[in-house]
Amino acid sequence: MKSLNVGMIGYKFMGRTHSNAWRQVDKFFPVPALPVLHTVCGRDRAKVKAAAKQLGWKHSATRWQDVVANPEIDIIDINTANDTHAEIAIAAAKAGKAILCEKPLAMNVRQAEAMLAAVKKARVVNMVCHNYRRIPAIAQAKKMIAAGELGRIFHYRARYLQDWIVDPEFPLVWRLQGKVAGSGTHGDINAHIIDLGRFLVGELSEVCGHLETFIKERPLEGTKGKKRVRVTVDDAVITLGKFKNGALCNLEASRFALGRKNHIQIEVNGSRGSLVFDFEDMNRLKYYNNADPADRMGYRDIIVTEGVHPYVGAWWPPGHIIGYEHTFVHTVFDFLKAVVKGKSVDPTFADGVQNQKVLEAVEKSSKSRRWVKV
Ligand SMILES: NC(=O)c1ccc[n+]([C@@H]2O[C@H](COP(=O)([O-])OP(=O)(O)OC[C@H]3O[C@@H](n4cnc5c(N)ncnc54)[C@H](O)[C@@H]3O)[C@@H](O)[C@H]2O)c1
């Protein structure tokens, strides 16, 4: 079987999930080509060497430019902070590599559009890692909505809540710096529920939002709390929206919801039924069917672990649940198929641009205190 060499840039949180996915994918899924963990890249020589050993990469590098220029490498997998995505992806496209890029695609619409133009010009396969699309329960929800089982969609309601920066002494890590992250909760976690709304319901036409920063100053990392600097990103964001198909959208993303660690909840209401998804119970999809007999009405649980459900049949026997890490395996499986076919699979960089347009429209709305067209 043909093999494809992967060069991965960034090896910490997302780099670990992606390494795991590249290692596991051919053990469970019928891949059309074998991924080879060729080179991992990070900025510190000793640390990236240790990461290569721990995560199973053949080589390590300290300059992403060397990885992108390496003719042996077929795929560039970008897992760095948001301010580097555009530069790396545009160079990778010019070098003819297929690209898997973490979300948010870029810092803003302008950058995202430049990235899209680069992959189009070079005709390289591209994908944004919105891994939550490939949770079997979410893929099942998509199947049911697309088949019309929910009828006309009225509402998409979603929240993505965390609580890791409630402490005002929590330092100003890169995710809290506008220059590196672009935005706070907005591009980090609101971007995911915007993507799921686009996936499940359709395109947004108009939005109205508010971004809030509760803690205005934080200690600079490495100064033991002595130097405090201004926080340049949002801590929470609320969004109202209208979809082109007439459905209404209601989103909440926050890093200030004590007790919520990585809480994602989604509800879709249609004329024939409703669906509810809760990430903390991700193998289950709640389904209300308005056609049920009058004395049996109520939400039922679809346990999404049968061979008939998307992706999950490749794993364990029915009822044996899967978790977060599997969503990345599903993502790289679909990406590998796309690379071999030479045709990108959703969400592509075009989806990344569209997501960024929604993010930017919400920011404009927050500043102008008006509804803004996407
Ligand atoms: N899909 C998801 O659910 C999800 C979850 C978390 C993060 N992310 C995204 O993944 C990306 C990385 O986030 P993370 O949490 O893994 O961050 P992280 O801080 O844990 O890791 C970032 C990595 O990038 C490396 N890096 C930064 N600049 C570099 C450069 N110029 N050259 C080489 N390496 C460089 C760092 O050394 C580190 O290994 C972000 O874009 C983030 O939004 C996505």
Side-chain angles (χ1 to χ4, degrees):
M1 191 191 287
K2 183 182 168 173
S3 53
L4 291 168
N5 289 325
V6 184
M8 189 180 81
I9 324 290
Y11 59 81
K12 271 163 111 183
F13 176 25
M14 274 305 105
R16 281 153 53 93
T17 64
H18 287 225
S19 297
N20 180 61
W22 290 119
R23 269 204 322 266
Q24 281 203 3
V25 65
D26 61 280
K27 315 291 187 296
F28 291 88
F29 287 86
V31 292
L34 277 179
V36 176
L37 283 76
H38 189 286
T39 302
V40 59
C41 177
R43 289 165 296 184
D44 182 294
R45 189 171 301 281
K47 285 186 187 162
V48 71
K49 249 189 161 175
K53 197 165 171 223
Q54 191 194 13
L55 300 173
W57 294 83
K58 283 188 177 174
H59 311 283
S60 62
T62 51
R63 290 181 72 249
W64 63 260
Q65 291 86 345
D66 296 339
V67 186
V68 165
N70 186 340
E72 286 177 16
I73 288 179
D74 304 290
I75 292 170
I76 294 292
D77 180 2
I78 304 171
N79 295 280
T80 50
N82 309 345
D83 62 334
T84 55
H85 293 184
E87 198 185 0
I88 300 173
I90 291 169
K94 281 187 184 152
K97 316 293 186 193
I99 308 166
L100 175 63
C101 184
E102 263 304 339
K103 50 48 61 180
L105 183 60
M107 301 281 280
N108 50 47
V109 173
R110 188 183 47 78
Q111 263 193 4
E113 282 178 338
M115 293 165 83
L116 177 60
V119 293
K120 273 190 175 166
K121 187 169 178 208
R123 296 173 183 235
V124 293
V125 168
N126 54 90
M127 188 183 195
V128 186
C129 187
H130 275 295
N131 54 303
Y132 293 113
R133 284 193 185 203
R134 287 173 168 82
I135 292 172
I138 293 287
Q140 174 69 18
K142 166 76 180 175
K143 221 169 94 181
M144 293 172 71
I145 294 169
E149 287 180 54
L150 261 59
R152 176 182 165 192
I153 305 300
F154 298 123
H155 291 287
Y156 170 71
R157 200 172 296 110
R159 48 193 210 166
Y160 195 149
L161 308 176
Q162 301 180 337
D163 70 356
W164 56 280
I165 56 168
V166 174
D167 179 358
E169 295 309 310
F170 189 92
L172 197 89
V173 296
W174 73 258
R175 276 189 162 78
L176 304 180
Q177 300 169 25
K179 271 193 181 158
V180 188
S183 63
T185 49
H186 196 36
D188 192 24
I189 56 180
N190 209 24
H192 272 306
I193 49 179
I194 289 168
D195 180 68
L196 289 177
R198 293 187 56 249
F199 180 54
L200 294 172
V201 180
E203 294 299 349
L204 284 150
S205 58
E206 231 182 322
V207 289
C208 172
H210 177 76
L211 282 78
E212 185 63 55
T213 305
F214 299 117
I215 306 292
K216 312 284 186 210
E217 283 190 346
R218 287 185 182 274
L220 196 60
E221 255 187 315
T223 64
K224 295 190 179 152
K226 284 187 190 135
K227 188 164 180 207
R228 299 186 80 82
V229 281
R230 198 165 67 86
V231 176
T232 44
V233 301
D234 57 283
D235 289 334
V237 51
I238 47 176
T239 310
L240 295 179
K242 292 184 201 163
F243 288 95
K244 284 187 178 160
N245 62 14
L248 298 181
C249 173
N250 192 344
L251 311 178
E252 185 186 11
S254 178
R255 292 169 172 162
F256 277 71
L258 270 181
R260 300 299 193 184
K261 305 301 169 186
N262 195 56
H263 174 89
I264 307 170
Q265 207 173 47
I266 284 164
E267 181 165 328
V268 185
N269 309 123
S271 56
R272 295 177 60 193
S274 293
L275 289 172
V276 175
F277 170 77
D278 184 342
F279 182 58
E280 287 159 8
D281 199 2
M282 65 174 271
N283 291 275
R284 193 184 302 257
L285 182 64
K286 289 188 176 290
Y287 173 44
Y288 181 91
N289 181 356
N290 204 36
D292 277 347
D295 62 346
R296 314 284 157 85
M297 285 186 113
Y299 274 96
R300 75 179 70 151
D301 285 356
I302 303 174
I303 310 297
V304 193
T305 56
E306 300 293 314
V308 292
H309 293 130
Y311 301 106
V312 76
W315 294 103
W316 323 120
H320 293 71
I321 60 178
I322 61 165
Y324 177 62
E325 68 275 28
H326 298 81
T327 64
F328 296 95
V329 183
H330 304 162
T331 302
V332 303
F333 173 53
D334 285 344
F335 179 70
L336 266 180
K337 285 191 290 183
V339 174
V340 171
K341 263 197 204 155
K343 192 173 180 323
S344 298
V345 61
D346 288 352
T348 64
F349 279 19
D351 289 287
V353 168
Q354 202 53 37
N355 192 301
Q356 212 88 45
K357 283 185 178 170
V358 178
L359 292 172
E360 217 159 279
V362 174
E363 283 166 4
K364 276 187 193 155
S365 163
S366 182
K367 279 191 189 126
S368 65
R369 306 181 73 79
R370 286 176 201 283
W371 281 80
V372 172
K373 291 211 184 314
V374 176

